[in-house]
């Protein structure tokens, strides 16, 4: 039996960052991972492979769709899907190996196998190499992540009916891909396959896409994706799926009730959300249980049972890699006896479609519901010189600031590379900046970041360039 200060279950962005920080702070740490490689959902079948395909398919479409030729670059592209998948796999492998390197560098022991909590301070591991190993530890950090939420009546086989993992590795370009769920996964992976030549239909239960996103931003995204050829069936539920050898027939109904219809596809992607993953964790051995949604609760990362901590997708909050990372750091600092806090009001979200969507803080609907008086400054990318010169003028930056104090309450952007711009507003909000602070800060010209400055000027009615 080996003894540790911390044993971490799961090596996703929650688990691996917790392990690294624990190593840095001189704690004796082991990280148990059931997958063959480190990095969790994010590196293996999530953020990273999806971004690899988004990048490659964006370049393909720029060449195939006439964008390059409009710039005077004549090429006749042909799609080599096998190579596209190969470069994705190579990048993923390099990244997971990078985490292995960081584990070695920070003296984190990687225990390869599936972990089960076996009473206070005990973690039993079913080792990949065979046999079991008991780890004795002062603290247990549960970072076991999440899995796709299944849809009753639409069984995922990852042949014709796919979850996100299946949709990241298709052997061919679908003729017609039906995506169930107009959330982040559906729109990102739907974009990948549409760019590569699929007809894409997105079926969404609600009357809008991306619930949770600022309404005006979501509407603009839907309109822009629609112009690109993605079609949407909103307010619609899927009641069943019949899978044949090379096609799937879906039965749809209006969400509010009414006549049913059928929709044929050769592939279906089910992307209706993710749920916490706690299978086989042995929670009962320490008296822990999940809520109705399968989620483990936490209070400042503590599970409610002494010395058992929870971080990342398995607990409350947005299911995002950087949120898991923030919690990882704060959790380990607390274990080490330091003060630490996660500011849940400043966790940005990015949708990596084209145009990108990036937001942080509150949306207009949320502020209205709170009865908070706010001012809006908005600037369109059609008036931003860099966007104009690059022919990427879809979208805007919108800044919401408190009507009395001018403090920035939310920033919502849709446009070129806005995922790279949102960090500025996270820093600003952490420092309780006002819209005027942004308006009076020099931004480089010509960049898209100037759109944010002009939007901030707009909060006080003096936008200069539109
Ligand atoms: P995970 O990454 O899920 O890691 C948990 C790990 O624990 C897994 O490797 C699992 O094998 C292991 N595990 C579970 N139980 C045990 C056990 N009993 N014993 C041993 N090991 C165990 N987020 C973003 O911020 N940006 C993005 O662009 C983005 N894109 C995404 C794209 C897709 C297609 C998907 C599916 C997700 C995406 N996400 C993105 C979400 C992001 O992947 C998750 O929020 C993040 O991975 C959560 O980290 P985690 O450490 O909590 O869990
Ligand atoms: P999501 O919660 O973003 O979207 C799910 C969508 O499916 C919602 O619009 C919801 O209304 C709809 N829906 C739910 N049940 C339905 C039903 N029965 N029929 C039709 N529509 C239904 O979930 P997701 O897209 O599956 O992504 C899962 C998680 O992964 C998200 O929480 C997200 O944070 C994370 N993720 C993040 C990124 C990123 O940061 N760029 C990328 C991919 C995934």
């Amino acid at each position: 039996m080996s003894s540790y200060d911390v044993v971490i279950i799961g090596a996703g962005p929650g688990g691996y960052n917790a392990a690294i920080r624990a190593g840095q702070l001189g704690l004796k740490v082991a990280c148990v991972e059931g997958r063959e490689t480190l990095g969790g959902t994010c590196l293996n079948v999530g953020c990273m492979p999806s971004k690899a395909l988004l990048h490659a398919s964006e370049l393909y479409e720029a060449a195939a769709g006439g964008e390059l030729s409009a710039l005077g670059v004549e090429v006749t592209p042909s799609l080599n899907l096998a190579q596209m998948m190969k470069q994705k796999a190579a990048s993923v492998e390099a990244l997971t190996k990078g985490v292995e390197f960081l584990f070695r560098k920070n003296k984190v022991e990687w225990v390869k196998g599936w972990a089960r909590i076996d009473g206070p301070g005990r973690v039993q591991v079913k080792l990949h190499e065979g046999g079991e190993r008991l780890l004795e530890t002062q603290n247990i950090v549960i970072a076991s992540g999440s899995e796709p939420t299944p849809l009753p009546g639409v069984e995922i086989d990852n042949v014709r009916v796919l979850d996100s993992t299946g949709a990241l590795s298709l052997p061919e370009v679908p003729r017609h891909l039906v995506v169930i769920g107009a959330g982040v996964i559906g729109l990102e992976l739907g974009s990948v396959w549409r760019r590569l030549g699929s007809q894409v239909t997105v079926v969404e239960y609600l009357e809008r896409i991306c619930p949770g996103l600022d309404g005006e931003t979501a509407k603009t995204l839907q309109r822009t994706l629609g112009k690109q050829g993605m079609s949407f069936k909103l307010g619609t539920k899927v009641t069943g799926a019949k899978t044949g050898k090379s096609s799937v027939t879906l039965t749809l109904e209006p969400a509010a009730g009414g006549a049913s219809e059928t929709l044929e596809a050769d592939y279906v992607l089910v992307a209706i959300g993710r749920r916490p993953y706690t299978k086989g964790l042995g929670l009962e051995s320490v008296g822990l249980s999940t809520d109705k949604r399968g989620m483990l609760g936490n209070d400042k990362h503590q599970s409610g049972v002494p010395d058992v901590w929870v971080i990342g997708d398995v607990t409350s909050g947005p299911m995002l890699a950087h949120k898991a990372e923030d919690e990882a750091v704060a959790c380990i600092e607390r274990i080490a006896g330091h003060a630490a806090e996660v500011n849940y009001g400043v966790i940005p979200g990015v949708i990596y479609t084209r145009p990108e969507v990036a937001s942080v803080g509150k949306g207009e609907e949320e502020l209205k519901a709170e009865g908070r008086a706010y001012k809006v400054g908005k600037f369109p990318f059609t008036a931003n010189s860099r966007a104009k010169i690059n022919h990427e003028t879809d979208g805007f930056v919108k800044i919401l600031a408190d009507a009395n104090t001018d403090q920035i309450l939310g920033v919502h952007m849709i446009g070129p590379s806005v995922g790279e711009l949102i960090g500025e507003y996270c820093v600003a909000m952490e420092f309780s900046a006002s819209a005027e602070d942004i308006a009076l800060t020099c931004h480089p010209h010509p960049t898209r970041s100037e759109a944010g400055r002009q939007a901030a000027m707009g909060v006080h009615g003096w936008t200069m360039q539109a």
Side-chain angles (χ1 to χ4, degrees):
M1 187 169 32
S2 336
S3 288
Y4 297 89
D5 295 315
V6 194
V7 168
I8 295 160
I9 301 176
Y16 79 71
N17 282 297
I20 291 168
R21 188 71 191 122
Q24 285 179 337
L25 292 177
L27 300 174
K28 189 168 181 219
V29 53
C31 183
V32 190
E33 173 53 58
R35 237 179 250 279
E36 295 293 331
T37 49
L38 299 175
T41 303
C42 173
L43 268 58
N44 291 283
V45 292
C47 325
M48 301 323 301
S50 60
K51 268 76 249 179
L53 293 184
L54 280 158
H55 176 64
S57 62
E58 187 173 326
L59 294 180
Y60 174 76
E61 187 176 41
E67 194 179 335
L68 289 189
S69 115
L71 296 175
V73 182
E74 298 293 353
V75 283
T76 314
S78 67
L79 178 64
N80 181 343
L81 186 60
Q83 170 58 23
M84 201 177 275
M85 293 294 171
K86 202 168 136 196
Q87 60 83 33
K88 174 200 70 170
S91 302
V92 166
E93 191 186 347
L95 288 166
T96 62
K97 290 263 184 281
V99 180
E100 286 181 35
F101 161 77
L102 293 171
F103 271 20
R104 284 194 300 274
K105 183 178 166 195
N106 292 289
K107 299 194 172 44
V108 176
E109 187 184 343
W110 172 15
V111 180
K112 301 175 183 176
W114 292 98
R116 180 171 50 81
I117 302 171
D118 186 25
R122 289 160 61 91
V123 176
Q124 188 75 37
V125 184
K126 193 165 186 297
L127 298 167
H128 289 328
E129 62 184 32
E132 300 234 333
R133 185 175 155 198
L134 182 64
L135 312 174
E136 200 185 52
T137 177
Q138 182 60 44
N139 294 281
I140 297 170
V141 178
I142 301 174
S144 52
S146 62
E147 61 177 356
T149 304
L151 178 59
V154 185
E155 197 180 325
I156 291 166
D157 58 13
N158 270 329
V159 180
R160 290 285 154 190
V161 182
L162 317 163
D163 59 17
S164 53
T165 302
L168 285 166
S169 302
L170 281 178
E172 61 178 356
V173 177
R175 276 176 289 108
H176 184 199
L177 173 68
V178 171
V179 176
I180 308 177
V184 199
I185 291 182
L187 300 183
E188 287 187 357
L189 295 183
S191 289
V192 165
W193 292 108
R194 187 204 54 73
R195 293 167 187 171
L196 298 181
S198 300
Q199 179 196 343
V200 174
T201 307
V202 182
V203 180
E204 164 63 45
Y205 186 82
L206 300 175
E207 289 293 348
R208 57 162 292 173
I209 69 168
C210 298
L213 191 65
D214 172 77
E216 182 185 21
T217 310
K219 267 202 193 113
T220 307
L221 176 63
Q222 188 189 334
R223 198 173 50 243
T224 317
L225 294 178
K227 272 197 290 182
Q228 294 169 5
M230 199 180 270
S231 51
F232 292 89
K233 274 180 153 325
L234 302 183
T236 304
K237 65 180 172 195
V238 177
T239 51
K242 226 161 92 196
T243 308
K245 200 160 162 273
S246 56
S247 70
V248 187
T249 308
L250 294 173
T251 318
L252 314 181
E253 258 177 37
S260 65
E261 56 171 321
T262 57
L263 185 62
E264 291 277 333
D266 49 347
Y267 291 95
V268 172
L269 164 60
V270 180
I272 60 164
R274 292 178 64 81
R275 62 181 185 187
Y277 183 79
T278 53
K279 208 163 117 195
L281 265 184
L283 297 175
E284 61 293 342
S285 74
V286 284
L288 265 182
S289 56
T290 58
D291 69 9
K292 275 205 304 270
R293 298 162 55 209
M295 191 172 282
L296 283 170
N298 84 89
D299 178 15
K300 300 202 185 302
H301 325 302
Q302 301 201 53
S303 69
V305 169
D307 304 323
V308 180
W309 307 74
V310 286
I311 57 173
D313 280 11
V314 76
T315 190
S316 50
M319 289 186 169
L320 296 171
H322 41 282
K323 174 265 192 184
E325 177 181 347
D326 263 34
E327 290 182 337
V329 173
C331 172
I332 294 298
E333 296 286 353
R334 282 176 173 269
I335 286 174
H338 307 155
E341 206 69 50
V342 173
N343 182 356
Y344 288 97
V346 186
I347 294 183
V350 176
I351 308 176
Y352 296 85
T353 44
R354 188 176 186 211
E356 283 184 353
V357 174
S359 56
V360 62
K362 296 187 175 176
E364 291 204 56
E365 292 76 13
E366 225 175 327
L367 292 172
K368 280 184 187 132
E370 284 176 12
R372 184 114 181 223
Y374 66 94
K375 285 188 175 171
V376 184
K378 199 172 143 195
F379 190 80
F381 278 105
T382 42
N384 171 264
S385 57
R386 184 65 182 276
K388 223 173 169 63
I389 219 82
N390 288 2
H391 311 285
E392 293 180 315
T393 51
D394 281 325
F396 56 79
V397 177
K398 177 163 76 171
I399 296 184
L400 309 175
D402 187 285
N404 301 311
T405 65
D406 197 34
Q407 184 176 352
I408 299 174
L409 302 174
V411 179
H412 305 276
M413 308 178 177
I414 173 165
S417 305
V418 293
E420 301 291 346
L421 301 187
I422 199 73
E424 172 181 347
Y425 296 91
C426 298
V427 175
M429 288 175 71
E430 284 288 0
F431 283 86
S432 306
S434 63
E436 187 182 44
D437 289 329
I438 299 291
L440 297 180
T441 299
C442 190
H443 285 67
H445 175 75
T447 64
R448 296 148 183 133
S449 72
E450 291 174 286
R453 184 183 188 186
Q454 293 289 326
M457 291 170 174
V459 171
H460 304 287
W462 64 286
T463 294
M464 290 166 60
Q465 294 168 3

